[in-house]
Amino acid sequence: MIDTPTLPLARPDRISSLDVLRGVALLGILLMNIVAMGLPHWAYDDPTIAGNRSPADFWVWALNAVFFEGKMRTVFSMLFGAGVILITSRLETREGRDTPADIHLRRNLWLVLFGMIHAFLLLWPGDILYIYGLAGIPLFVLRRARPRTLLIIGVVVLALQVPKMYGLSTSLAEARTGLGRIEAQMAAGQPLTVEQTAERSGFKNTLGEFKPSRDAVQKEIENRSAGYLHIVKTLAPVIIFLQSTHAYKVTIWDALGMMLIGMALMKLGVFSASRSYRFYVLMALCGYLYGLPVGAFVVWDWMQHDFAAGTRWLTLYDSTRLAVALGHVGIVMMICKAGALRWITRPLAAVGQMALTNYIMHSVIVMFLFGGVGFGMFGRLARHELYYVVGGIWAFQLIASPLWLRYFQFGPLEWLWRSLTYKRMQPMRIEARPT
């Protein structure tokens, strides 16, 4: 028997609608990431923390919270699961020295390493590659499961996050109430007992991650505006926590649930734009009719309570973001199915085809703009001004990605990932042919 290498998928095998949707999700993720990249991380959820200089800043926060926060990451996670189905099903029809299981494992382990480099050296604690690499490994055993089974498991995994959200919301609300009671006692001139003093300290620590002091906000701005090595040292403990305790308690399960749903939707033909227009219309309507009004109410209610930590509606987070994400998928698939708006879907497909390169590029550009290795603008822009940066990055990637793919089969990091996964150098230029 000839020991032949297993070859990756060829460029013509790509599904255009998948690339378009991936491009939409990738650019949409930057709408949210840019806040934590350019402002103290507390401002991501709470617009009163930093960057709030005008009503425009609150409107930007509110619109993103309803339409994009968590929704774009949901789509991206579902597409990762879809990719598992696409790649493993095609690899199982090919012969070679490496089994689909070998390739799947290497592909994900390299992604874990990329995620660590991205977080620790490119200074982005919010990296998702590390989580995707870990969460993606066990998906291989479910690649042949029926769509219904995948949907049920995915929904159950997500549903198990609800008690965690409820517990977090309850603990924050209790800390807020308890601290208010003790501080009212202090304002009335009544001395605190030793137990009350300890309680006050505990309540402040619990709330501090969500309602930091001005000194804490200023300290983060100073740390993130310092030199590169200082930022690496400052962020390292945060990243270690996010890629260990927090990952195994929260983020891996979040990604896994969405990936399983994505695997099911891929098998059902949803992402290939092969379902009927009626299907996609109902998908969009059902998603939006639940997710948008409920999401808007949650935003309005939180504003009415002055962005108090421990909102009672935190448990609705997963259901609303999944619903709106499915609505977005329905709209994009209808556009792709109709072959409409090609002036934008073509560059979006190119952005999606180079998703890894473009995702890392976001961090590189922002590191030079906001970090201590470039212009040092961290914490200096208002929230709405951050979106001038987003617009510039979008424009560049929508222009540069199609130009790059005129001459090369893959983005630079996609080429590296494939070469490492298949243990052989992949042909890069369009004219090249695999041997």
Side-chain angles (χ1 to χ4, degrees):
M1 181 167 125
I2 300 175
D3 187 19
T4 57
T6 306
L7 298 178
L9 305 180
R11 182 168 170 176
D13 293 333
R14 302 192 70 90
I15 298 174
S16 177
S17 58
L18 270 175
D19 285 331
V20 173
L21 186 59
R22 190 178 294 110
V24 171
L26 179 70
L27 297 184
I29 284 172
L30 185 59
L31 287 171
M32 304 310 306
N33 284 353
I34 195 67
V35 178
M37 288 173 164
L39 293 173
H41 69 275
W42 301 283
Y44 183 91
D45 290 314
D46 188 342
T48 65
I49 300 296
N52 53 322
R53 301 177 188 170
S54 70
D57 298 307
F58 286 91
W59 277 108
V60 166
W61 170 81
L63 290 173
N64 278 333
V66 174
F67 288 96
F68 303 110
E69 201 287 312
K71 289 77 174 177
M72 296 293 97
R73 188 178 74 253
T74 294
V75 175
F76 211 56
S77 300
M78 290 193 294
L79 289 175
F80 190 90
V84 171
I85 296 298
L86 183 65
I87 293 172
T88 57
S89 62
R90 291 180 177 178
L91 286 174
E92 287 176 339
T93 65
R94 304 183 180 199
E95 295 183 355
R97 70 170 70 101
D98 296 317
T99 66
D102 295 328
I103 294 170
H104 176 82
L105 181 60
R106 281 202 302 271
R107 183 174 185 266
N108 283 278
L109 289 179
W110 280 117
L111 199 62
V112 169
L113 179 60
F114 290 165
M116 295 176 70
I117 294 171
H118 183 211
F120 284 99
L121 300 183
L122 297 182
L123 311 180
W124 178 224
D127 164 76
I128 200 65
L129 303 179
Y130 176 87
I131 300 300
Y132 279 10
L134 291 178
I137 291 174
L139 296 180
F140 185 81
V141 300
L142 293 170
R143 69 194 186 283
R144 294 177 182 171
R146 294 182 301 173
R148 181 179 178 181
T149 301
L150 292 167
L151 282 173
I152 291 173
I153 298 175
V155 170
V156 168
V157 169
L158 292 177
L160 291 175
Q161 306 308 302
V162 174
K164 297 178 185 178
M165 288 290 192
Y166 178 78
L168 174 61
S169 178
T170 301
S171 66
L172 290 173
E174 289 175 350
R176 187 178 71 247
T177 302
L179 183 61
R181 182 184 67 251
I182 292 175
E183 291 190 339
Q185 181 178 331
M186 293 174 61
Q190 300 176 15
L192 302 181
T193 65
V194 175
E195 292 78 9
Q196 287 177 318
T197 301
E199 274 189 325
R200 180 172 180 267
S201 178
F203 291 150
K204 292 185 74 172
N205 288 336
T206 299
L207 295 171
E209 181 55 31
F210 297 89
K211 288 290 185 181
S213 65
R214 291 185 180 181
D215 289 342
V217 173
Q218 185 58 38
K219 184 177 180 180
E220 178 167 348
I221 293 174
E222 292 172 357
N223 284 334
R224 296 291 295 274
S225 302
Y228 174 77
L229 293 179
H230 180 79
I231 300 175
V232 170
K233 180 180 178 181
T234 300
L235 291 180
V238 177
I239 296 169
I240 291 172
F241 168 74
L242 292 175
Q243 294 192 347
S244 58
T245 304
H246 188 66
Y248 296 117
K249 284 186 175 181
V250 180
T251 49
I252 285 180
W253 302 103
D254 174 277
L256 183 60
M258 295 302 178
M259 288 176 184
L260 288 165
I261 292 173
M263 292 171 72
L265 296 181
M266 184 67 195
K267 288 194 170 191
L268 291 170
V270 174
F271 292 135
S272 58
S274 58
R275 302 302 296 258
S276 66
Y277 284 111
R278 182 175 181 271
F279 177 90
Y280 290 120
V281 168
L282 289 174
M283 183 179 182
L285 283 177
C286 291
Y288 287 156
L289 287 177
Y290 169 73
L292 293 181
V294 174
F297 170 75
V298 170
V299 166
W300 173 84
D301 184 72
W302 200 25
M303 293 178 70
Q304 295 301 305
H305 288 84
D306 296 322
F307 300 95
T311 173
R312 51 188 170 165
W313 306 113
L314 193 60
T315 51
L316 294 174
Y317 176 71
D318 280 322
S319 64
T320 54
R321 71 187 177 107
L322 178 58
V324 175
L326 292 174
H328 292 340
V329 171
I331 295 297
V332 173
M333 289 300 105
M334 280 192 284
I335 293 172
C336 292
K337 186 177 180 68
L341 304 178
R342 292 189 178 182
W343 61 273
I344 189 62
T345 57
R346 285 177 176 173
L348 280 171
V351 170
Q353 190 173 334
M354 294 176 56
L356 178 59
T357 296
N358 285 321
Y359 177 64
I360 297 297
M361 189 188 301
H362 293 171
S363 299
V364 173
I365 292 173
V366 169
M367 181 175 66
F368 280 95
L369 287 176
F370 298 116
V373 295
F375 295 95
M377 296 172 61
F378 186 86
R380 296 186 183 182
L381 298 182
R383 181 181 291 260
H384 75 275
E385 292 173 333
L386 293 172
Y387 292 94
Y388 303 152
V389 176
V390 171
I393 294 174
W394 280 7
F396 175 76
Q397 293 188 335
L398 287 167
I399 294 170
S401 297
L403 288 175
W404 177 273
L405 291 175
R406 284 186 186 180
Y407 305 100
F408 302 101
Q409 298 195 56
F410 321 109
L413 292 183
E414 285 75 15
W415 172 84
L416 176 62
W417 191 17
R418 282 176 176 240
S419 297
L420 292 170
T421 296
Y422 292 93
K423 298 193 297 186
R424 68 192 298 267
M425 298 283 283
Q426 298 298 307
M428 185 63 160
R429 294 190 64 87
I430 294 292
E431 296 80 9
R433 293 289 185 271
T435 58

